[in-house]
Structure formats: C-alpha cells, structure tokens
Amino acid sequence: MEAVCVLLGHKADWDAAKKLLGMSDFMEQLITYDKDNMDPKRVKLLQKYTSLPEFTPENVGKVSGAAKGLCM
C-alpha cells in the first residue's frame, strides 16, 4: 500500500493508506490513473518499491490477494 500511496500522491504510511482505502473513489482513481504521463519524480520514488526482488505479484499474493492485483 505504500507504493499505491506514493503513486496517488499521498503520504506513504499506514494512516494515509487506511484513509485512501476508505475513499469511495479509490478503485476509480486506480482504474483511471494516467500511467503514460507519470511525473518523473513519482516514478523515481516508486523505484524504491518496484526494484525490490520480492515485489512481484506472486510474492505479494502470498500475503494478500487484494494487494496482488495492486502490484500487477
């Protein structure tokens, strides 16, 4: 969820993640996210997560099926 928080421009902590998950338009924000025009600064921040060898849908899915979909 930290990576999702960063992706959507929120603070990367559990409190922010809980608020984000509680937003009525959370899924809509993900579905309509403009992945082709990401801010390079945000991409750099996300590399902290995406460069981890364990950051794969399979590994994340072992912990949470819902999070697996967010990792894909």
Side-chain angles (χ1 to χ4, degrees):
M1 273 306 298
E2 283 184 37
V4 175
C5 286
V6 170
L7 178 72
L8 296 177
H10 296 272
K11 190 174 175 183
D13 63 21
W14 183 236
D15 286 335
K18 288 188 291 187
K19 289 177 185 171
L20 188 59
L21 287 167
M23 295 175 113
S24 61
D25 67 339
F26 173 64
M27 289 303 295
E28 185 67 24
Q29 288 182 56
L30 295 175
I31 291 168
T32 61
Y33 189 82
D34 186 4
K35 66 182 181 347
D36 297 321
N37 294 301
M38 291 177 65
D39 180 354
K41 292 178 188 175
R42 194 163 293 164
V43 171
K44 187 172 181 170
L45 289 171
L46 285 168
Q47 287 175 342
K48 170 184 174 183
Y49 306 99
T50 59
S51 65
L52 297 171
E54 62 270 13
F55 191 79
T56 66
E58 295 77 25
N59 285 337
V60 172
K62 292 176 186 174
V63 179
S64 168
K68 178 180 179 178
L70 297 174
C71 183
M72 297 175 88

